[in-house]
């Protein structure tokens, strides 16, 4: 994959008191390059329960390519392409929600648990341009598979 029209990718998930921190981290690492640093912030839920926020910002082009290569395994890639207009914001950000449970099993599916946010290159910075750039990169992923 030559040029990557993404400035960065943010991945984030929550580890609730009822979950195993190592398993949640492993699910997040499904999308990250090896040995990638994960930020941890501890917070408190509405009822005083501990919530650990695990997140990573991927900025290096090779690392972004790695994250995208994992998205290529997405079964619903065509659905994602159809929904791009709703998934790209006016701020040229692409949002996906990925299934945390599936990721723990090394599968890539749309679902709940992991938030994927990518800043899409767009000159000028307009939603329509960002949608087209996101479409281009996702179609390349689909066609390379």
């Amino acid at each position: 994959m030559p040029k990557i029209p993404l400035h960065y990718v943010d991945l984030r998930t929550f580890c609730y008191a009822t979950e195993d921190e190592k398993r949640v981290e492993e699910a997040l690492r499904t999308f990250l390059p090896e040995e990638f640093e994960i930020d941890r912030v501890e917070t408190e839920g509405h009822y005083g329960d501990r919530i650990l926020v695990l997140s990573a910002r991927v900025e290096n082009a090779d690392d972004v390519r790695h994250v995208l290569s994992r998205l290529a395994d997405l079964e619903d890639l065509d659905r994602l392409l159809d929904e791009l207009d709703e998934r790209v914001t006016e701020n040229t950000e692409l949002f996906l929600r990925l299934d945390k449970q599936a990721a723990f099993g090394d599968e890539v599916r749309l679902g709940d648990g992991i938030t994927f946010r990518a800043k899409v290159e767009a000159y000028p910075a307009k939603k329509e341009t960002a949608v087209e750039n996101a479409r281009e990169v996702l179609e390349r992923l689909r066609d390379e598979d």
Side-chain angles (χ1 to χ4, degrees), residues 5 21 32-33 41 44 71 86 90 96-97 119 121 138:
E21 183 180 331
L32 295 170
V41 175
E44 195 174 286
L71 277 189
E86 295 102 59
E90 294 295 330
L96 307 177
R97 299 209 17 110
K119 182 69 172 176
E121 270 184 21
L138 292 172

Side-chain angles (χ1 to χ4, degrees), residues 71-87 110 135 138-143:
L71 277 189
D73 297 336
L74 192 61
E75 291 173 15
D76 294 340
L77 206 48
D78 287 327
R79 175 180 143 205
L80 185 57
L81 284 162
D82 291 341
E83 297 173 350
L84 270 180
D85 203 48
E86 295 102 59
R87 293 181 176 276
L110 295 176
R135 180 176 314 286
L138 292 172
E139 284 175 346
R140 251 189 286 155
L141 282 177
R142 181 191 62 198
D143 297 342

Side-chain angles (χ1 to χ4, degrees), residues 39-144:
D39 295 323
R40 290 170 159 68
V41 175
E42 202 167 303
T43 187
E44 195 174 286
H46 183 71
Y47 298 103
D49 50 321
R50 175 184 165 268
I51 298 174
L52 185 63
V53 181
L54 303 176
S55 62
R57 173 167 283 195
V58 181
E59 296 176 299
N60 171 297
D62 287 337
D63 293 342
V64 171
R65 277 187 194 89
H66 177 86
V67 174
L68 289 174
S69 75
R70 290 306 320 225
L71 277 189
D73 297 336
L74 192 61
E75 291 173 15
D76 294 340
L77 206 48
D78 287 327
R79 175 180 143 205
L80 185 57
L81 284 162
D82 291 341
E83 297 173 350
L84 270 180
D85 203 48
E86 295 102 59
R87 293 181 176 276
V88 176
T89 69
E90 294 295 330
N91 291 329
T92 73
E93 295 169 313
L94 169 65
F95 280 93
L96 307 177
R97 299 209 17 110
L98 301 163
D99 188 315
K100 181 168 51 171
Q101 191 65 43
F104 176 71
D106 203 36
E107 292 178 44
V108 180
R109 281 201 300 255
L110 295 176
D112 288 325
I114 298 175
T115 303
F116 170 105
R117 180 178 68 120
K119 182 69 172 176
V120 182
E121 270 184 21
Y123 303 104
K126 291 190 185 321
K127 178 179 177 175
E128 299 75 33
T129 310
V131 167
E132 282 313 305
N133 288 344
R135 180 176 314 286
E136 181 185 309
V137 76
L138 292 172
E139 284 175 346
R140 251 189 286 155
L141 282 177
R142 181 191 62 198
D143 297 342
E144 286 176 1

